[in-house]
């Protein structure tokens, strides 16, 4: 026997994109009914399993759902990021999603099925009671398409030989004995966070080995702020750099000269361009780690050894290996957001997936025809390499234009803090904003044209 769930939408995944979609949908369509299904016990996706010292790498205002600001929209008044917008901690993000879910379910139009597994064909089952459910008339929303892997739930991508001591990044906050040495495996945001945190806790930089198969480009956080003068200036400078560049790598080197892009080692040209944000103080800290291993991916770890395809690297016998190498960004390929099978929320501009999912929810509520919906909401990819980044800028820029030429969507987008290019009414005449917008207008066409050439050459 199955219990029938009579709702308009079945949303699989209560992470950032699923929640942003539902929030915008029910705000724009006061009749819509939704069932949300997730294997976790609450809303928030991977934040429910996040490592204890993680913070958003972007300003809080850019994250969450359209109806509810994450945080207070304030500037930090002390610490190394004084003057930059606040960034929520893991506990703050979890509490935020708990409040958002409570508000949505209080409408009586949204129900949440936590600790439940989706089994296809609009069927799901409770992992606690075994009760089976079906939502026969619901439109399926697959909010898991870009869901990240995290170290806690992903085995290390290397073999662990007998006697080797390996932990996930989550376990660092529970250590009760200091190892002689740390090996951090992973070059992305999680690995960088881990190195920063260990150094903040007083670990000697010489006690850390950092395995970085590829060096990353990172955005200077000071330029990715919910201030239209700052953000639009960064966008204008990016397009100016692109217009003058001779290769994808040259774009990044020009952006580095402008202070927008950062790299950890000035002698190594990065090949990874996922571009999370990094602050100047974090960069200064991680640059103190000099034992960096660039020999590709670790194949196995053993007591006193890291094994690579081209040989071994010796480390102290009492070494703790910290697994930070899960695939945070996914690259499953673009697909139409609306298809007969499902609605698949994706970014609809360069980056900022919460905004993308929110506007997809709003468009679903305000348009009737799937062809039209796909015309105004075009998916944009994440980037992995500098060449990918060039293609992402073109695809994401075109997607953003398709959306913003629609007057109602442009008006809606300009009312939510999730939109990084929104200009509040009280800032429209600000000379710094006017100047940044004019510079962006001047540079966007030549920048796009050159980026398209660079992407085609890759």
């Amino acid at each position: 026997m199955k219990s029938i769930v009579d709702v308009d939408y079945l949303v699989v995944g209560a992470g950032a994109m699923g929640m942003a979609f539902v929030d915008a949908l029910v705000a724009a369509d006061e009749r819509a009914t939704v069932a949300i299904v997730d294997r976790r016990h609450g809303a928030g996706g991977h934040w429910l399993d996040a490592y204890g010292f993680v913070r958003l790498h972007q300003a809080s205002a850019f994250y969450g759902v359209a109806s509810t600001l994450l945080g207070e929209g304030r500037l930090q008044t002390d610490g190394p990021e004084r003057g930059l917008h606040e960034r929520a901690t893991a506990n703050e993000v979890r509490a935020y999603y708990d409040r958002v879910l409570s508000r949505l379910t209080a409408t009586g139009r949204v129900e949440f099925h936590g600790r439940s597994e989706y089994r296809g064909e609009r069927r799901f089952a409770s992992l606690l009671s075994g009760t089976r459910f079906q939502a026969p008339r619901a439109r399926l929303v697959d909010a898991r398409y870009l869901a990240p892997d995290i170290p806690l739930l992903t085995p290390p991508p290397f073999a662990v030989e007998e006697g080797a001591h390996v932990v996930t990044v989550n376990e660092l906050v529970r250590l009760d004995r200091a190892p002689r040495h740390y090996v951090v495996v992973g070059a992305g945001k999680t690995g960088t966070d881990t190195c920063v945190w260990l150094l903040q806790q007083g670990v000697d930089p010489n006690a850390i080995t950092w395995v970085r198969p590829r060096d990353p480009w990172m955005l200077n956080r000071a330029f990715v702020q919910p201030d239209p003068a700052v953000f639009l200036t960064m966008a204008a400078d990016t397009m100016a750099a692109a217009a003058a560049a001779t290769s994808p790598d040259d774009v990044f080197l020009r952006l580095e000269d402008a202070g927008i892009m950062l790299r950890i080692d000035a002698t190594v040209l990065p090949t990874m361009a996922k571009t999370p944000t990094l602050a100047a103080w974090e960069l200064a800290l991680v640059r103190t780690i000099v034992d960096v291993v660039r020999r590709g991916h670790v194949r196995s770890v053993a007591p006193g050894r890291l094994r690579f395809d081209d040989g071994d690297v010796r480390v102290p016998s009492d070494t703790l290996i910290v697994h930070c190498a899960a695939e945070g960004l996914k690259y499953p390929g673009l697909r139409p957001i609306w298809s007969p099978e499902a609605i698949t929320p994706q970014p609809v501009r360069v980056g900022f997936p919460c905004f993308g999912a929110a506007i997809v929810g709003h468009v679903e509520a305000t348009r009737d025809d799937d062809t039209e919906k796909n015309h105004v909401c075009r998916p944009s990819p994440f980037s992995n390499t500098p060449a990918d980044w060039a293609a992402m800028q073109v695809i994401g820029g075109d997607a953003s234009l398709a959306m913003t030429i629609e007057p109602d969507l442009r008006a809606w987008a300009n009312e939510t803090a999730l939109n990084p290019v929104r200009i509040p009414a009280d800032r429209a005449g600000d000379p710094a904003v006017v100047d940044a917008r004019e510079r962006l207008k001047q540079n966007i066409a030549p920048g796009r044209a050159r980026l398209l050439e660079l992407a085609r050459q890759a």
Side-chain angles (χ1 to χ4, degrees):
M1 295 292 293
K2 295 185 180 71
S3 293
I4 298 299
V5 178
D6 186 28
V7 293
D8 301 317
Y9 296 90
L10 178 62
V11 177
V12 183
M17 297 194 79
M19 294 298 288
F21 174 89
V22 173
D23 171 82
L25 172 75
V26 300
D29 183 350
E30 296 182 351
R31 298 174 298 174
T33 55
V34 182
I36 308 173
V37 175
D38 199 285
R39 288 181 61 87
R40 293 179 171 94
H41 70 278
H46 71 277
W47 287 99
L48 295 175
D49 300 308
Y51 45 100
F53 51 87
V54 68
R55 295 174 68 185
L56 280 171
H57 72 94
Q58 60 189 319
S60 294
F62 290 148
Y63 201 81
V65 303
S67 70
T68 307
L69 185 69
L70 172 54
E72 300 174 359
R74 62 180 179 84
L75 297 178
Q76 299 178 62
T77 57
D78 52 25
E81 293 187 19
R82 184 173 59 237
L84 301 186
H85 279 254
E86 63 182 317
R87 294 189 295 127
T89 65
N91 285 337
E92 289 169 337
V93 175
R94 287 190 286 261
Y96 167 84
Y97 278 117
D98 188 55
R99 293 193 301 272
V100 170
L101 181 61
S102 294
R103 178 180 55 76
L104 289 172
T105 56
T107 65
R109 297 188 289 126
V110 177
E111 55 188 78
F112 178 67
H113 296 264
R115 295 297 295 136
S116 294
E117 182 176 59
Y118 181 66
R119 294 183 174 173
E121 299 180 344
R122 297 170 181 77
R123 298 177 295 113
F124 59 96
S126 169
L127 295 171
L128 301 178
S129 68
T131 304
R132 294 178 296 160
F133 300 89
Q134 186 167 20
R137 70 176 187 86
R139 183 149 203 191
L140 180 66
V141 180
D142 183 3
R144 306 164 300 169
Y145 190 60
L146 298 174
D149 291 337
I150 60 173
L152 181 66
L153 303 178
T154 306
F158 49 82
V160 180
E161 300 183 31
E162 185 176 355
H165 190 192
V166 177
V167 299
T168 66
V169 58
N170 297 64
E171 296 171 80
L172 286 179
V173 297
R174 294 188 287 273
L175 293 183
D176 54 15
R177 182 185 68 84
R180 180 180 171 190
H181 199 80
Y182 294 88
V183 171
V184 176
V185 181
K189 177 185 179 294
T190 301
T192 306
D193 281 354
T194 300
C195 290
V196 168
W197 187 76
L198 288 173
L199 294 166
Q200 284 182 299
Q201 305 311 305
V203 175
D204 191 313
N206 294 322
I208 301 173
T209 295
W210 192 356
V211 178
R212 295 207 304 261
R214 297 187 296 159
D215 268 44
W217 282 112
M218 298 186 179
L219 278 163
N220 186 338
R221 188 173 297 131
F223 289 83
V224 190
Q225 295 291 300
D227 179 321
V230 173
F231 195 92
L232 292 173
T233 295
M234 183 267 290
D237 289 344
T238 297
M239 286 298 158
T246 59
S247 68
D249 287 334
D250 189 38
V251 180
F252 279 83
L253 292 172
R254 290 172 181 273
L255 291 174
E256 182 183 39
D257 289 342
I260 294 170
M261 287 291 173
L262 304 173
R263 54 175 159 167
I264 300 168
D265 189 332
T267 68
V268 176
L269 185 62
T271 59
M272 185 162 65
K274 300 181 181 184
T275 61
T277 71
L278 190 73
W281 68 271
E282 294 171 307
L283 179 65
L285 272 182
V286 296
R287 280 180 167 172
T288 65
I289 299 173
V290 296
D291 187 13
V292 177
V293 180
R294 298 183 179 90
R295 297 177 63 171
H297 295 286
V298 180
R299 297 310 178 193
S300 70
V301 297
R305 292 179 184 273
L306 309 174
R307 303 193 189 280
F308 296 84
D309 286 340
D310 63 351
D312 295 354
V313 171
R314 289 185 175 274
V315 292
S317 56
D318 181 18
T319 287
L320 181 66
I321 312 293
V322 187
H323 163 33
C324 302
E327 189 179 8
L329 286 185
K330 293 296 187 66
Y331 305 95
L334 299 179
R335 63 168 56 177
I337 294 173
W338 283 268
S339 71
E341 294 76 29
I343 300 171
T344 308
Q346 293 158 80
V348 295
R349 50 152 291 122
V350 177
F352 301 93
C354 291
F355 172 67
I359 202 160
V360 168
H362 182 79
V363 167
E364 171 62 19
T366 57
R367 303 286 196 279
D368 294 325
D369 180 71
D370 282 1
T371 299
E372 180 188 1
K373 295 172 192 175
N374 278 321
H375 177 70
V376 300
C377 271
R378 304 177 187 179
S380 176
F382 293 131
S383 63
N384 190 1
T385 68
D388 292 341
W389 182 90
M392 176 185 71
Q393 297 295 320
V394 174
I395 295 169
D398 291 352
S400 181
L401 178 62
M403 175 184 63
T404 55
I405 61 175
E406 300 286 319
D408 63 316
L409 300 186
R410 184 171 63 250
W412 181 88
N414 206 46
E415 294 298 319
T416 174
L418 297 179
N419 179 11
V421 296
R422 84 181 185 108
I423 302 176
D426 62 348
R427 298 293 304 280
D430 183 330
V433 174
V434 172
D435 179 66
R437 289 184 71 183
E438 186 58 33
R439 288 189 59 242
L440 180 57
K441 287 180 182 178
Q442 293 171 359
N443 288 301
I444 196 165
R448 181 197 179 279
R450 188 64 184 135
L451 286 167
L452 183 59
E453 292 176 7
L454 297 177
R456 286 173 173 169
Q457 293 172 9

